Amino acid sequence: MTDYLVSLTIWAGLYAIFALGLNLQWGFTGLINFGHVAFATLGAYTTVLLTLQGVPIPIAAIAGAILAALLGLAIGVSTLRLREDYLAIVTIGVSEVIRLVVLNEEWLTKGAFGVQRYPLPLDFTPNLFTKLVIIALFTGIAIFANWQLWRGIRRQWRESGEIAGKSYQPRTPIALIVWGVLAAIAILALYINGTIALSDYDYKAGLMVAVLTVLVLVFSGLEFLARSPWGRVLKAIREDEQIPRALGKNVFWYKLQSFMLGGAIAGLAGAFLAWQLTTIYPTNFEPLLTFNAWIIVILGGSGSNAGTLLGAVIYWAYDSLTRFILPQLTIFNDSQLGALRVMIIGLILMVLMIWRPQGILGKKEELTLGK
């Protein structure tokens, strides 16, 4: 169970990084990207192929993120001046082109045979001091997570109270308390489990700490940017790009920056995906990854980085629970169970769109959902 929870934490963490890139593009800038997996594909294959050539792992991961950003530049230059639906169509096509190139260029990517036996980060046996340092870092991450949870609940409570004082009864705080308690329990359980895993260190435990460390850095950086003048311009573009254009802002350049940065973040997530899988195949990078990221962003709340983290935790908690619970219903076979799980998550999203269309931590007054 300890190993399973460690693996679940890694999956939730790398999907959170992946979805944060999409949230920057769509949630903050309004750019519809249905080919987000293309950036992860480039990041993953660039990282593992460079490490096989002797390039240090951190440099290879940065190179993968840069290449993913350059893909964003290539897509953005050709499409960002057009309407949003053109961008959506182009990104789907590009993601499939990238996957087919990876599948067919066997001289470079090994094609359907996949890339195997590449170097992995933190794959070593630490001494006692190193182990204590890693556990201390993990403890700091848990403290940071609880601090961000408290800040998010307090901010949502205050904003809900202000709205309620104007028009309707404050129902949101009750839901926030429930979500907050559940999230705090989840953080505590994962922290205890992670500490136990780190005390008996293996590669997956080290990868868990690496994923969460990068997640904290990406989240903190995006939170800083979202509250900066740059982030406010992105939100203005999302709402009505004619207004920032009338104020002298280069809308195209801001869109391009957002698209490239979101792609670089997804490329970094692709590197972690490769390290988690330890062997990568073209089938690991199908469009389903993109739509999983969309589910996470919509569930947590578009335009909310904290919501994206919460969406990733809820999505993987749902995935884990249904993987164990639904097989107990012997009236369904394996293929039917897969379809049932998809139907249930679709039903959850439908209910959420009715009850809280902005997502769990999203801000309805900040989005043009009712226009």
Side-chain angles (χ1 to χ4, degrees):
M1 180 59 71
T2 298
D3 293 339
Y4 179 78
L5 289 178
V6 167
S7 181
L8 186 63
T9 304
I10 295 172
W11 280 113
L14 70 87
Y15 259 84
I17 297 172
F18 185 58
L20 282 172
L22 179 63
N23 188 49
L24 175 63
Q25 295 170 343
W26 180 60
F28 284 98
T29 320
L31 302 176
I32 302 176
N33 179 6
F34 288 152
H36 201 50
V37 67
F39 302 109
T41 307
L42 278 183
Y45 273 90
T46 300
T47 300
V48 300
L49 291 176
L50 286 179
T51 54
L52 285 172
Q53 299 302 316
V55 177
I57 289 176
I59 296 177
I62 293 172
I66 292 174
L67 190 60
L70 293 177
L71 175 64
L73 174 64
I75 297 174
V77 167
S78 60
T79 61
L80 288 180
R81 296 185 188 277
L82 302 175
R83 296 202 313 268
E84 290 83 355
D85 49 354
Y86 284 98
L87 176 62
I89 294 170
V90 169
T91 52
I92 293 175
V94 170
S95 69
E96 282 301 289
V97 168
I98 295 294
R99 188 179 65 84
L100 290 175
V101 168
V102 167
L103 177 62
N104 291 287
E105 298 301 320
E106 297 183 2
W107 63 274
L108 178 63
T109 64
K110 310 301 181 184
F113 294 100
V115 183
Q116 308 173 18
R117 298 187 180 89
Y118 43 80
L120 302 171
L122 300 176
D123 189 11
F124 68 104
T125 302
N127 55 34
L128 179 60
F129 175 76
T130 304
K131 191 180 295 185
L132 291 175
V133 170
I134 296 174
I135 293 176
L137 176 60
F138 185 60
T139 302
I141 293 171
I143 294 172
F144 176 82
N146 278 291
W147 176 57
Q148 289 295 326
L149 175 64
W150 165 247
R151 285 185 60 194
I153 291 175
R154 186 176 60 178
R155 187 185 309 116
Q156 289 287 327
W157 183 291
R158 184 175 59 250
E159 292 171 354
S160 174
E162 291 173 356
I163 296 172
K166 295 178 182 178
S167 58
Y168 52 84
Q169 293 299 316
R171 298 180 180 176
T172 306
I174 299 176
L176 284 175
I177 292 174
V178 174
W179 286 116
V181 170
L182 291 176
I185 293 174
I187 292 172
L188 178 61
L190 292 177
Y191 171 72
I192 295 173
N193 181 81
T195 304
I196 294 172
L198 288 171
S199 63
D200 188 20
Y201 185 92
D202 62 4
Y203 161 67
K204 290 291 186 177
L207 182 61
M208 174 189 66
V209 176
V211 167
L212 295 179
T213 301
V214 172
L215 177 58
V216 167
L217 294 175
V218 171
F219 173 83
S220 301
L222 290 178
E223 281 289 279
F224 173 78
L225 290 175
R227 289 173 170 78
S228 69
W230 184 79
R232 290 193 289 271
V233 172
L234 293 187
K235 292 180 181 179
I237 293 172
R238 177 195 65 196
E239 297 301 314
D240 187 351
E241 66 180 58
Q242 299 304 321
I243 295 176
R245 181 176 288 115
L247 295 175
K249 303 297 182 181
N250 189 334
V251 171
F252 172 76
W253 177 233
Y254 277 95
K255 285 183 176 181
L256 193 59
Q257 290 175 356
S258 174
F259 202 70
M260 291 176 65
L261 181 56
I265 294 171
L268 194 58
F272 280 108
L273 178 61
W275 296 329
Q276 165 70 346
L277 295 173
T278 67
T279 301
I280 55 173
Y281 302 93
T283 53
N284 296 136
F285 302 93
E286 295 182 340
L288 180 62
L289 270 70
T290 297
F291 293 102
N292 287 341
W294 275 94
I295 290 171
I296 290 170
V297 172
I298 293 172
L299 186 63
S302 62
S304 171
N305 292 318
T308 300
L309 301 189
L310 180 60
V313 171
I314 293 174
Y315 176 82
W316 280 101
Y318 162 82
D319 182 84
S320 176
L321 289 174
T322 55
R323 197 177 295 274
F324 286 108
I325 294 175
L326 290 182
Q328 306 302 320
L329 305 176
T330 55
I331 57 176
F332 299 107
N333 58 38
D334 291 341
S335 61
Q336 290 173 333
L337 283 176
L340 181 61
R341 294 173 67 202
V342 174
M343 290 173 60
I344 292 174
I345 193 66
L347 179 61
I348 292 173
L349 288 177
M350 290 171 61
V351 172
L352 182 67
M353 289 298 99
I354 296 172
W355 169 60
R356 191 172 175 82
Q358 70 272 33
I360 296 172
L361 294 183
K363 300 178 182 179
K364 188 173 183 179
E365 69 276 10
E366 192 176 279
L367 301 178
T368 54
L369 293 172
K371 297 183 179 180

mmCIF file of all heavy atoms in Angstrom, residues 262-292:
data_model
loop_
_atom_site.group_PDB
_atom_site.id
_atom_site.type_symbol
_atom_site.label_atom_id
_atom_site.label_comp_id
_atom_site.label_asym_id
_atom_site.label_seq_id
_atom_site.Cartn_x
_atom_site.Cartn_y
_atom_site.Cartn_z
ATOM 1 N N GLY A 262 3.437 27.825 -21.099
ATOM 2 C CA GLY A 262 2.600 26.660 -20.812
ATOM 3 C C GLY A 262 3.147 25.406 -21.469
ATOM 4 O O GLY A 262 3.114 24.315 -20.879
ATOM 5 N N GLY A 263 3.664 25.537 -22.696
ATOM 6 C CA GLY A 263 4.264 24.388 -23.370
ATOM 7 C C GLY A 263 5.519 23.905 -22.676
ATOM 8 O O GLY A 263 5.755 22.695 -22.562
ATOM 9 N N ALA A 264 6.350 24.839 -22.182
ATOM 10 C CA ALA A 264 7.571 24.456 -21.469
ATOM 11 C C ALA A 264 7.232 23.696 -20.191
ATOM 12 O O ALA A 264 7.890 22.703 -19.853
ATOM 13 C CB ALA A 264 8.391 25.701 -21.149
ATOM 14 N N ILE A 265 6.209 24.140 -19.477
ATOM 15 C CA ILE A 265 5.790 23.446 -18.255
ATOM 16 C C ILE A 265 5.303 22.038 -18.584
ATOM 17 O O ILE A 265 5.625 21.071 -17.884
ATOM 18 C CB ILE A 265 4.689 24.255 -17.537
ATOM 19 C CG1 ILE A 265 5.266 25.581 -17.031
ATOM 20 C CG2 ILE A 265 4.082 23.466 -16.388
ATOM 21 C CD1 ILE A 265 4.219 26.540 -16.500
ATOM 22 N N ALA A 266 4.532 21.909 -19.673
ATOM 23 C CA ALA A 266 4.074 20.574 -20.090
ATOM 24 C C ALA A 266 5.257 19.699 -20.502
ATOM 25 O O ALA A 266 5.257 18.487 -20.248
ATOM 26 C CB ALA A 266 3.082 20.702 -21.236
ATOM 27 N N GLY A 267 6.275 20.287 -21.144
ATOM 28 C CA GLY A 267 7.470 19.524 -21.506
ATOM 29 C C GLY A 267 8.195 18.997 -20.282
ATOM 30 O O GLY A 267 8.699 17.866 -20.269
ATOM 31 N N LEU A 268 8.228 19.812 -19.225
ATOM 32 C CA LEU A 268 8.835 19.372 -17.969
ATOM 33 C C LEU A 268 8.037 18.216 -17.361
ATOM 34 O O LEU A 268 8.608 17.248 -16.850
ATOM 35 C CB LEU A 268 8.887 20.551 -17.004
ATOM 36 C CG LEU A 268 9.765 20.411 -15.760
ATOM 37 C CD1 LEU A 268 11.208 20.137 -16.140
ATOM 38 C CD2 LEU A 268 9.666 21.669 -14.916
ATOM 39 N N ALA A 269 6.707 18.314 -17.435
ATOM 40 C CA ALA A 269 5.866 17.209 -16.956
ATOM 41 C C ALA A 269 6.126 15.941 -17.768
ATOM 42 O O ALA A 269 6.080 14.822 -17.232
ATOM 43 C CB ALA A 269 4.395 17.603 -17.038
ATOM 44 N N GLY A 270 6.387 16.089 -19.064
ATOM 45 C CA GLY A 270 6.693 14.930 -19.902
ATOM 46 C C GLY A 270 7.944 14.204 -19.443
ATOM 47 O O GLY A 270 8.008 12.965 -19.485
ATOM 48 N N ALA A 271 8.951 14.973 -18.984
ATOM 49 C CA ALA A 271 10.168 14.335 -18.464
ATOM 50 C C ALA A 271 9.842 13.488 -17.241
ATOM 51 O O ALA A 271 10.317 12.347 -17.107
ATOM 52 C CB ALA A 271 11.206 15.404 -18.121
ATOM 53 N N PHE A 272 9.030 14.021 -16.335
ATOM 54 C CA PHE A 272 8.649 13.252 -15.150
ATOM 55 C C PHE A 272 7.800 12.038 -15.520
ATOM 56 O O PHE A 272 7.896 10.990 -14.864
ATOM 57 C CB PHE A 272 7.901 14.142 -14.161
ATOM 58 C CG PHE A 272 8.809 15.013 -13.331
ATOM 59 C CD1 PHE A 272 8.884 16.366 -13.553
ATOM 60 C CD2 PHE A 272 9.603 14.453 -12.348
ATOM 61 C CE1 PHE A 272 9.727 17.161 -12.798
ATOM 62 C CE2 PHE A 272 10.448 15.238 -11.584
ATOM 63 C CZ PHE A 272 10.511 16.607 -11.806
ATOM 64 N N LEU A 273 6.985 12.174 -16.549
ATOM 65 C CA LEU A 273 6.204 11.032 -17.006
ATOM 66 C C LEU A 273 7.120 9.916 -17.485
ATOM 67 O O LEU A 273 6.893 8.731 -17.189
ATOM 68 C CB LEU A 273 5.251 11.469 -18.121
ATOM 69 C CG LEU A 273 4.384 10.379 -18.752
ATOM 70 C CD1 LEU A 273 3.472 9.738 -17.710
ATOM 71 C CD2 LEU A 273 3.542 10.943 -19.899
ATOM 72 N N ALA A 274 8.167 10.285 -18.220
ATOM 73 C CA ALA A 274 9.124 9.282 -18.695
ATOM 74 C C ALA A 274 9.840 8.614 -17.531
ATOM 75 O O ALA A 274 10.051 7.392 -17.529
ATOM 76 C CB ALA A 274 10.140 9.954 -19.623
ATOM 77 N N TRP A 275 10.214 9.387 -16.525
ATOM 78 C CA TRP A 275 10.896 8.810 -15.361
ATOM 79 C C TRP A 275 9.968 7.932 -14.541
ATOM 80 O O TRP A 275 10.403 6.967 -13.926
ATOM 81 C CB TRP A 275 11.480 9.928 -14.494
ATOM 82 C CG TRP A 275 12.548 10.711 -15.195
ATOM 83 C CD1 TRP A 275 13.412 10.246 -16.140
ATOM 84 C CD2 TRP A 275 12.868 12.095 -15.012
ATOM 85 N NE1 TRP A 275 14.254 11.249 -16.567
ATOM 86 C CE2 TRP A 275 13.943 12.401 -15.889
ATOM 87 C CE3 TRP A 275 12.356 13.108 -14.204
ATOM 88 C CZ2 TRP A 275 14.505 13.673 -15.959
ATOM 89 C CZ3 TRP A 275 12.914 14.371 -14.270
ATOM 90 C CH2 TRP A 275 13.983 14.647 -15.142
ATOM 91 N N GLN A 276 8.694 8.278 -14.500
ATOM 92 C CA GLN A 276 7.732 7.453 -13.769
ATOM 93 C C GLN A 276 7.495 6.125 -14.478
ATOM 94 O O GLN A 276 7.418 5.074 -13.840
ATOM 95 C CB GLN A 276 6.411 8.223 -13.608
ATOM 96 C CG GLN A 276 5.215 7.408 -13.189
ATOM 97 C CD GLN A 276 5.271 6.912 -11.745
ATOM 98 O OE1 GLN A 276 6.311 6.945 -11.109
ATOM 99 N NE2 GLN A 276 4.151 6.435 -11.234
ATOM 100 N N LEU A 277 7.397 6.174 -15.807
ATOM 101 C CA LEU A 277 7.126 4.952 -16.571
ATOM 102 C C LEU A 277 8.366 4.069 -16.702
ATOM 103 O O LEU A 277 8.238 2.852 -16.875
ATOM 104 C CB LEU A 277 6.596 5.309 -17.963
ATOM 105 C CG LEU A 277 5.240 6.028 -18.003
ATOM 106 C CD1 LEU A 277 4.922 6.480 -19.427
ATOM 107 C CD2 LEU A 277 4.128 5.129 -17.475
ATOM 108 N N THR A 278 9.557 4.668 -16.703
ATOM 109 C CA THR A 278 10.874 4.030 -16.875
ATOM 110 C C THR A 278 11.079 3.442 -18.270
ATOM 111 O O THR A 278 12.198 3.071 -18.620
ATOM 112 C CB THR A 278 11.139 2.950 -15.803
ATOM 113 O OG1 THR A 278 10.242 1.853 -15.992
ATOM 114 C CG2 THR A 278 10.983 3.517 -14.398
ATOM 115 N N THR A 279 10.039 3.337 -19.052
ATOM 116 C CA THR A 279 10.118 2.961 -20.469
ATOM 117 C C THR A 279 8.993 3.702 -21.187
ATOM 118 O O THR A 279 7.849 3.670 -20.719
ATOM 119 C CB THR A 279 9.945 1.453 -20.680
ATOM 120 O OG1 THR A 279 10.967 0.752 -19.966
ATOM 121 C CG2 THR A 279 10.041 1.103 -22.163
ATOM 122 N N ILE A 280 9.304 4.372 -22.288
ATOM 123 C CA ILE A 280 8.264 5.148 -22.964
ATOM 124 C C ILE A 280 8.014 4.616 -24.368
ATOM 125 O O ILE A 280 8.933 4.192 -25.073
ATOM 126 C CB ILE A 280 8.616 6.656 -23.027
ATOM 127 C CG1 ILE A 280 9.986 6.889 -23.672
ATOM 128 C CG2 ILE A 280 8.554 7.274 -21.651
ATOM 129 C CD1 ILE A 280 10.296 8.357 -23.894
ATOM 130 N N TYR A 281 6.748 4.632 -24.739
ATOM 131 C CA TYR A 281 6.283 4.218 -26.055
ATOM 132 C C TYR A 281 5.409 5.336 -26.633
ATOM 133 O O TYR A 281 4.844 6.149 -25.878
ATOM 134 C CB TYR A 281 5.460 2.932 -25.958
ATOM 135 C CG TYR A 281 6.187 1.772 -25.352
ATOM 136 C CD1 TYR A 281 6.107 1.511 -23.979
ATOM 137 C CD2 TYR A 281 6.953 0.921 -26.131
ATOM 138 C CE1 TYR A 281 6.772 0.435 -23.413
ATOM 139 C CE2 TYR A 281 7.621 -0.161 -25.583
ATOM 140 C CZ TYR A 281 7.528 -0.395 -24.213
ATOM 141 O OH TYR A 281 8.198 -1.455 -23.667
ATOM 142 N N PRO A 282 5.255 5.382 -27.951
ATOM 143 C CA PRO A 282 4.360 6.403 -28.542
ATOM 144 C C PRO A 282 2.937 6.323 -28.003
ATOM 145 O O PRO A 282 2.246 7.339 -27.905
ATOM 146 C CB PRO A 282 4.415 6.081 -30.039
ATOM 147 C CG PRO A 282 5.747 5.424 -30.238
ATOM 148 C CD PRO A 282 5.993 4.638 -28.988
ATOM 149 N N THR A 283 2.492 5.124 -27.617
ATOM 150 C CA THR A 283 1.128 4.978 -27.105
ATOM 151 C C THR A 283 0.941 5.629 -25.736
ATOM 152 O O THR A 283 -0.198 5.771 -25.273
ATOM 153 C CB THR A 283 0.754 3.489 -27.004
ATOM 154 O OG1 THR A 283 1.761 2.798 -26.249
ATOM 155 C CG2 THR A 283 0.646 2.869 -28.394
ATOM 156 N N ASN A 284 2.049 5.985 -25.082
ATOM 157 C CA ASN A 284 1.936 6.684 -23.798
ATOM 158 C C ASN A 284 1.509 8.138 -23.969
ATOM 159 O O ASN A 284 1.215 8.806 -22.973
ATOM 160 C CB ASN A 284 3.275 6.657 -23.051
ATOM 161 C CG ASN A 284 3.713 5.262 -22.670
ATOM 162 O OD1 ASN A 284 4.870 4.902 -22.834
ATOM 163 N ND2 ASN A 284 2.781 4.464 -22.152
ATOM 164 N N PHE A 285 1.491 8.628 -25.212
ATOM 165 C CA PHE A 285 1.251 10.053 -25.446
ATOM 166 C C PHE A 285 0.084 10.250 -26.409
ATOM 167 O O PHE A 285 0.205 10.933 -27.423
ATOM 168 C CB PHE A 285 2.519 10.722 -25.984
ATOM 169 C CG PHE A 285 3.698 10.575 -25.068
ATOM 170 C CD1 PHE A 285 4.599 9.529 -25.219
ATOM 171 C CD2 PHE A 285 3.887 11.462 -24.019
ATOM 172 C CE1 PHE A 285 5.674 9.390 -24.367
ATOM 173 C CE2 PHE A 285 4.957 11.326 -23.158
ATOM 174 C CZ PHE A 285 5.849 10.287 -23.326
ATOM 175 N N GLU A 286 -1.029 9.643 -26.081
ATOM 176 C CA GLU A 286 -2.234 9.764 -26.892
ATOM 177 C C GLU A 286 -3.074 10.957 -26.426
ATOM 178 O O GLU A 286 -2.849 11.493 -25.325
ATOM 179 C CB GLU A 286 -3.026 8.464 -26.838
ATOM 180 C CG GLU A 286 -2.269 7.288 -27.488
ATOM 181 C CD GLU A 286 -3.074 6.009 -27.483
ATOM 182 O OE1 GLU A 286 -4.011 5.912 -26.676
ATOM 183 O OE2 GLU A 286 -2.745 5.109 -28.285
ATOM 184 N N PRO A 287 -4.057 11.386 -27.222
ATOM 185 C CA PRO A 287 -4.862 12.571 -26.862
ATOM 186 C C PRO A 287 -5.558 12.481 -25.514
ATOM 187 O O PRO A 287 -5.928 13.507 -24.945
ATOM 188 C CB PRO A 287 -5.880 12.647 -28.004
ATOM 189 C CG PRO A 287 -5.202 11.988 -29.169
ATOM 190 C CD PRO A 287 -4.379 10.891 -28.575
ATOM 191 N N LEU A 288 -5.727 11.271 -24.980
ATOM 192 C CA LEU A 288 -6.398 11.125 -23.689
ATOM 193 C C LEU A 288 -5.701 11.937 -22.599
ATOM 194 O O LEU A 288 -6.356 12.460 -21.696
ATOM 195 C CB LEU A 288 -6.441 9.649 -23.295
ATOM 196 C CG LEU A 288 -7.120 9.320 -21.958
ATOM 197 C CD1 LEU A 288 -8.588 9.742 -21.986
ATOM 198 C CD2 LEU A 288 -6.984 7.841 -21.639
ATOM 199 N N LEU A 289 -4.365 12.060 -22.668
ATOM 200 C CA LEU A 289 -3.643 12.839 -21.666
ATOM 201 C C LEU A 289 -4.096 14.293 -21.667
ATOM 202 O O LEU A 289 -4.256 14.911 -20.604
ATOM 203 C CB LEU A 289 -2.136 12.763 -21.907
ATOM 204 C CG LEU A 289 -1.379 11.631 -21.212
ATOM 205 C CD1 LEU A 289 -1.743 10.294 -21.829
ATOM 206 C CD2 LEU A 289 0.120 11.872 -21.282
ATOM 207 N N THR A 290 -4.317 14.832 -22.866
ATOM 208 C CA THR A 290 -4.778 16.217 -22.959
ATOM 209 C C THR A 290 -6.132 16.389 -22.302
ATOM 210 O O THR A 290 -6.353 17.334 -21.533
ATOM 211 C CB THR A 290 -4.857 16.652 -24.439
ATOM 212 O OG1 THR A 290 -3.548 16.623 -25.011
ATOM 213 C CG2 THR A 290 -5.433 18.056 -24.560
ATOM 214 N N PHE A 291 -7.035 15.476 -22.573
ATOM 215 C CA PHE A 291 -8.390 15.636 -22.051
ATOM 216 C C PHE A 291 -8.455 15.314 -20.557
ATOM 217 O O PHE A 291 -9.321 15.846 -19.856
ATOM 218 C CB PHE A 291 -9.356 14.795 -22.875
ATOM 219 C CG PHE A 291 -9.487 15.294 -24.279
ATOM 220 C CD1 PHE A 291 -8.841 14.665 -25.333
ATOM 221 C CD2 PHE A 291 -10.211 16.449 -24.543
ATOM 222 C CE1 PHE A 291 -8.930 15.158 -26.620
ATOM 223 C CE2 PHE A 291 -10.308 16.941 -25.832
ATOM 224 C CZ PHE A 291 -9.676 16.307 -26.880
ATOM 225 N N ASN A 292 -7.535 14.500 -20.053
ATOM 226 C CA ASN A 292 -7.426 14.354 -18.607
ATOM 227 C C ASN A 292 -7.020 15.677 -17.964
ATOM 228 O O ASN A 292 -7.531 16.052 -16.897
ATOM 229 C CB ASN A 292 -6.413 13.271 -18.255
ATOM 230 C CG ASN A 292 -6.921 11.871 -18.538
ATOM 231 O OD1 ASN A 292 -8.129 11.651 -18.667
ATOM 232 N ND2 ASN A 292 -6.023 10.913 -18.637
#
